[in-house]
Amino acid sequence: MKPSKIITIGIKELAHQKVILAAWYNFLKESFDAKKISADEFTQYLQAHVLYDLDKDQIELMLSGQESLLEEFKKTIFG
């Protein structure tokens, strides 16, 4: 298993959290199906952490994975 990194995505609306988590799941599933990640990595990376930032009044969604995988996901979601 390659070392994992974490990205943090700030979210103001709860509905956006659902969309990003659904996109993350689909992205990981496609990566697993393409044999880019192992079954253990797939399971590990699905565990997203959610924090609430009082100062910014927003949710911080923390996703972990291989650096290249996270970069590819950010490009997919944010262009």
Side-chain angles (χ1 to χ4, degrees):
M1 196 176 332
K2 296 178 184 174
S4 59
K5 303 285 183 183
I6 293 177
I7 59 170
T8 302
I9 302 170
I11 302 168
K12 289 280 188 185
E13 300 291 329
L14 199 53
H16 296 156
Q17 178 182 339
K18 292 177 184 178
V19 170
I20 291 174
L21 286 174
W24 180 237
Y25 172 81
N26 287 329
F27 180 80
L28 287 176
K29 180 76 170 93
E30 289 172 3
S31 297
F32 173 72
D33 290 343
K35 302 195 185 325
K36 293 180 183 178
I37 60 173
S38 69
D40 288 340
E41 288 171 319
F42 177 75
T43 303
Q44 178 186 357
Y45 298 159
L46 277 178
Q47 299 174 22
H49 299 279
V50 179
L51 302 171
Y52 182 71
D53 186 331
L54 287 171
D55 294 333
K56 295 179 182 177
D57 189 29
Q58 71 180 16
I59 296 167
E60 298 286 335
L61 185 58
M62 299 171 69
L63 306 175
S64 66
Q66 302 165 9
E67 187 170 7
S68 59
L69 192 73
L70 294 171
E71 289 298 323
E72 189 178 335
F73 178 70
K74 285 195 312 190
K75 287 178 188 172
T76 301
I77 296 298
F78 302 113

